[in-house]
Amino acid sequence: MLAGCGAGFDATTNQPYAPNEAQVLIEKGAYGTRGIHIPQAFILGPDPGAQLAWRGSAPVYLNILNKSGAPDTLEKITAGGMGEVKVTAPIQLPVGQLVNTGKPTPQIMLESIPKSLRGGESIKLDLQFAKAGVVSMNVPVVTRSREFQAYPPAPNATPAPTPTPTPSATAEDA
């Protein structure tokens, strides 16, 4: 007669949950910071076995929830020495509304990437909000597979090598 319930601030159901390798904003052990919650962040990499070309680009996908009590704006993003981040326009963050920066089309692109990426890497992004200030997080590069397979491919990704069949020995050859 065990119960699987949890209550209070330390309950399992009260903790951030990332169902895939995308990142969740956790700062100093807490979910979110200064009213900004990011339940999913990832950079879309190449198909499995392929790579993003040197000096290529990749879309950045963020889901952002503003719980600060006042509207905010994501103004710009920097990626240190890992390329330039282009934001098509400042992203408005109304209070209590989940904003997806990738739908219907990506609004954020990481460009001029200084090295080839295969997926599995992480890139530190500094997100500049008008009111919340700078929020930093390490965002993973994920391959376009499994739950990410439906996303459009990253521009300039090199294709994965096509396997070539090789003849095998038969019983007659032995």
Side-chain angles (χ1 to χ4, degrees):
M1 303 257 217
L2 297 173
C5 299
F9 292 109
D10 293 325
T12 304
T13 57
N14 195 32
Q15 301 301 314
Y17 172 66
N20 55 45
E21 66 262 39
Q23 184 60 284
V24 172
L25 176 62
I26 306 289
E27 190 169 293
K28 296 179 184 172
Y31 176 47
T33 184
R34 292 165 285 193
I36 298 297
H37 293 233
I38 301 177
Q40 186 179 55
F42 63 93
I43 298 166
L44 186 64
D47 289 344
Q51 66 181 3
L52 293 179
W54 172 76
R55 306 299 292 164
S57 58
V60 178
Y61 291 90
L62 302 172
N63 284 323
I64 306 171
L65 180 61
N66 175 8
K67 296 183 81 176
S68 69
D72 205 341
T73 304
L74 175 58
E75 297 177 325
K76 74 178 201 173
I77 302 174
T78 57
M82 285 305 294
E84 296 179 36
V85 182
K86 300 283 185 184
V87 180
T88 57
I91 297 169
Q92 302 303 314
L93 302 169
V95 175
Q97 181 179 334
L98 186 66
V99 174
N100 183 324
T101 66
K103 291 184 180 177
T105 59
Q107 297 172 293
I108 304 169
M109 291 294 285
L110 177 62
E111 298 180 340
S112 302
I113 301 169
K115 65 179 187 173
S116 298
L117 299 174
R118 297 186 180 276
E121 303 88 352
S122 285
I123 296 175
K124 182 182 178 216
L125 298 182
D126 294 319
L127 292 76
Q128 176 68 54
F129 294 92
K131 294 181 181 157
V134 176
V135 173
S136 299
M137 63 187 299
N138 290 318
V139 178
V141 177
V142 300
T143 57
R144 199 172 75 95
S145 61
R146 300 173 321 278
E147 64 269 23
F148 304 105
Q149 194 166 9
Y151 289 89
N156 304 324
T158 60
T162 304
T164 54
T166 57
S168 60
T170 64
E172 297 169 2
D173 295 337

